[in-house]
Amino acid sequence: MRRSAGGTGGPLARQFLVWQLVVVVVLLGAVAALAAVQSSESFRGTEGRRMLSVAEDVASVPTVREALQTRRYDLLPSFARSAENLSGADEIEIVDAGLVVRTSPDPSRVRQRFDPGASTAPRGRAWVGNSDGRTVVAQVPVIDDRGAVAGLVSAGIRAPSLWESLAGARAETGALLGLALGVGVLGSLLLARRVRRQTLGLEPDEIVELVQRREAMLLGIKEGVVGLDTANRITLLNPVARELLQLPGAREGDAVADLGLDDRLREVLTGAADGEDQLVLLDARALVLNRRPVRIEGRDGRIVGAVVTLRDRTELTTLQHRLDASHTVTDTLRAQAHEFSNRLHTIAGLTELGEHDEVRRFVAGIVAASEGWRREVTASVGDPATAALLGAKNSQAAERGVELALDPESRLDPTDPDHDPDLSADLVTVLGNLIDNAIDATAGHEGPRRIEIGLAGGGDTDGDEVWIEVRDSGPGIASELAEEVFRAGYSTKAAEIGGRGLGLALARQACLRRGGTIAVRPAPAGRAGAVFEAVLPVAPTGVRV
């Protein structure tokens, strides 16, 4: 559907040019007509005053006054013709007191009844008018010696027609109109060429078709689409993007910085966070964003904006977490199988050597260690899911050479699924990700490899909070990165959902969704590592988080 942008030979350009020329010609014609009308009005005003002066001069001649009083009308034609020649009037008529024409340039009008129309001259007052729309007439009464109206003098001049006015216009006026016409034609050509270039040579029906297709496409696709200009103002926002970004009131022209979005989402939309498949967690949604610049085709390749696509990957993330849980169980079973295999080999070797007493002591130690952790967790943790998680994480940590310990003062009351059905799952999410992060930080660190876990609170009463603390002996976290670590997962690519770094972001999301907090601080003086603290409020009765 694309056309060449050069030239002005397309149907659209020709139509546009024709209409532009029509507009220019009509405009110039209107200007010329207006000038003619103004000239005619000026003519009427000027010539009306001149004809009034001519009529007054004739009416004031004593011979005219005497001829009208004595009825010696044969003297009047010479005065009237002489006044016409001197003044340039087209006609001068002299009428007696009975409104009978006594002299006129038209012989057929002599001795005919004179129709004064709306004139006030028969009543003794001078009058100027345009009785037939073409002639400017001035009528002046002739006053006798007694002060009575002895007759009247009518002087008139014909106004030029519109074409006569145009024909009589000065050469400068014609030149200006011709120059204006030339400028208009040239401007129309340039404007038509520019419009054709900006519309890529598309015809009006093709443009309409493109708009309709674009609207149908934007309404039909399941992905969100956001268009931005170079100033990061919204130029396009389809319904899916409006829903995913939770921007029901956003309008075209709104700046991204004024929409109240969080820092991570704003950085991806504006391009401050570069890369493909940027993962952003927004409330309960996991969104994958891709930003592409929009360039003008041509030699300069100028960027005119950007298009951001959004995909909802919440279900994929949920499935990935479930798969991670399965991996955790698998890793735990593998670690336990590996541990049991080593123990069985040890027992078999001791048996072959006949060290039966040593076998009994070895088995007793294994049972005591396993039962000790189980009894410790069971006694302190009332939530079954959390207790099971701690059991699995203990085996996983042991395989990587990390010691997992539960704070002796930890007390976690059972959760009530009828009161807050999501609390147990959020506890597992936050605690599991914090422990995984601590294991990753501690396993490769020189020195003691120990993780201490503290739990407190209850989950069956409004206003209660669950407090979680995870202390590791790893390298610690710099104070300037205390906030950044919770956003590290945001840069994880969609293909790596569930990978290292996303866990802290998910833990933070779970806490914030419940109105809680999560933070990291350095370990106490004299100790290495970091301390993560999380607070999860219990949902009020009847409120789902």
Side-chain angles (χ1 to χ4, degrees), residues 412-420 423 457-466 514 537-541:
L412 180 62
D413 296 334
T415 59
D416 184 0
D418 294 330
H419 176 71
D420 191 344
L423 178 59
D460 57 356
T461 306
D462 290 353
D464 281 352
E465 293 179 338
V466 176
R514 304 186 67 87
V538 179
T541 303

Side-chain angles (χ1 to χ4, degrees), residues 195-489:
V195 169
R196 180 173 177 79
R197 184 167 59 249
Q198 290 185 336
T199 59
L200 304 179
L202 296 177
E203 301 300 326
D205 56 342
E206 294 174 330
I207 296 176
V208 172
E209 183 180 356
L210 276 179
V211 173
Q212 293 174 344
R213 288 182 178 179
R214 190 199 75 159
E215 293 298 325
M217 179 185 67
L218 292 177
L219 292 175
I221 62 177
K222 294 183 179 180
E223 292 187 354
V225 179
V226 181
L228 302 170
D229 61 13
T230 54
N232 291 318
R233 292 186 297 261
I234 293 179
T235 59
L236 174 67
L237 189 67
N238 74 338
V240 178
R242 192 181 298 273
E243 178 185 358
L244 293 178
L245 296 178
Q246 301 176 10
L247 298 174
R251 298 173 298 177
E252 293 185 2
D254 289 346
V256 173
D258 299 333
L259 297 177
L261 303 174
D262 61 44
D263 294 340
R264 169 63 182 172
L265 184 55
R266 185 166 58 251
E267 289 175 357
V268 175
L269 289 177
T270 58
D274 195 14
E276 296 184 355
D277 293 332
Q278 294 284 326
L279 180 63
V280 176
L281 302 179
L282 184 61
D283 290 341
R285 294 182 184 272
L287 306 179
V288 176
L289 281 70
N290 279 286
R291 190 179 192 272
R292 293 288 184 272
V294 178
R295 300 179 183 271
I296 294 181
E297 294 186 8
R299 291 176 296 178
D300 56 354
R302 180 166 54 93
I303 296 177
V304 296
V307 174
V308 182
T309 58
L310 302 91
R311 289 171 288 165
D312 190 353
R313 288 296 180 264
T314 305
E315 295 181 0
L316 180 60
T317 306
T318 302
L319 292 175
Q320 184 66 45
H321 292 329
R322 292 178 181 175
L323 182 60
D324 288 343
S326 299
H327 286 166
T328 300
V329 174
T330 302
D331 292 341
T332 301
L333 293 175
R334 181 171 54 82
Q336 290 178 348
H338 184 268
E339 185 178 1
F340 289 156
S341 177
N342 290 334
R343 290 172 178 175
L344 287 175
H345 287 142
T346 302
I347 292 173
L350 291 174
T351 302
E352 289 180 0
L353 294 174
E355 299 290 341
H356 302 293
D357 292 337
E358 187 63 29
V359 171
R360 285 193 295 271
R361 284 192 298 270
F362 183 72
V363 173
I366 294 174
V367 173
S370 178
E371 285 296 320
W373 175 257
R374 185 182 63 81
R375 284 195 302 269
E376 185 179 1
V377 171
T378 303
S380 302
V381 180
D383 180 53
T386 305
L389 174 70
L390 290 174
K393 293 300 181 183
N394 183 56
S395 300
Q396 186 178 351
E399 184 186 15
R400 299 184 64 180
V402 178
E403 178 186 358
L404 205 62
L406 188 64
D407 192 316
E409 297 181 0
S410 294
R411 291 293 183 273
L412 180 62
D413 296 334
T415 59
D416 184 0
D418 294 330
H419 176 71
D420 191 344
D422 298 325
L423 178 59
S424 180
D426 289 341
L427 278 173
V428 170
T429 298
V430 175
L431 182 59
N433 284 311
L434 290 181
I435 294 176
D436 287 340
N437 180 75
I439 292 175
D440 288 339
T442 306
H445 181 62
E446 297 292 338
R449 300 178 180 179
R450 179 180 174 84
I451 299 174
E452 297 179 3
I453 302 170
L455 300 170
D460 57 356
T461 306
D462 290 353
D464 281 352
E465 293 179 338
V466 176
W467 173 79
I468 300 174
E469 183 179 87
V470 176
R471 301 182 293 272
D472 64 67
S473 59
I477 296 175
S479 58
E480 60 270 16
L481 299 178
E483 288 294 331
E484 188 67 21
V485 292
F486 294 104
R487 302 175 58 218

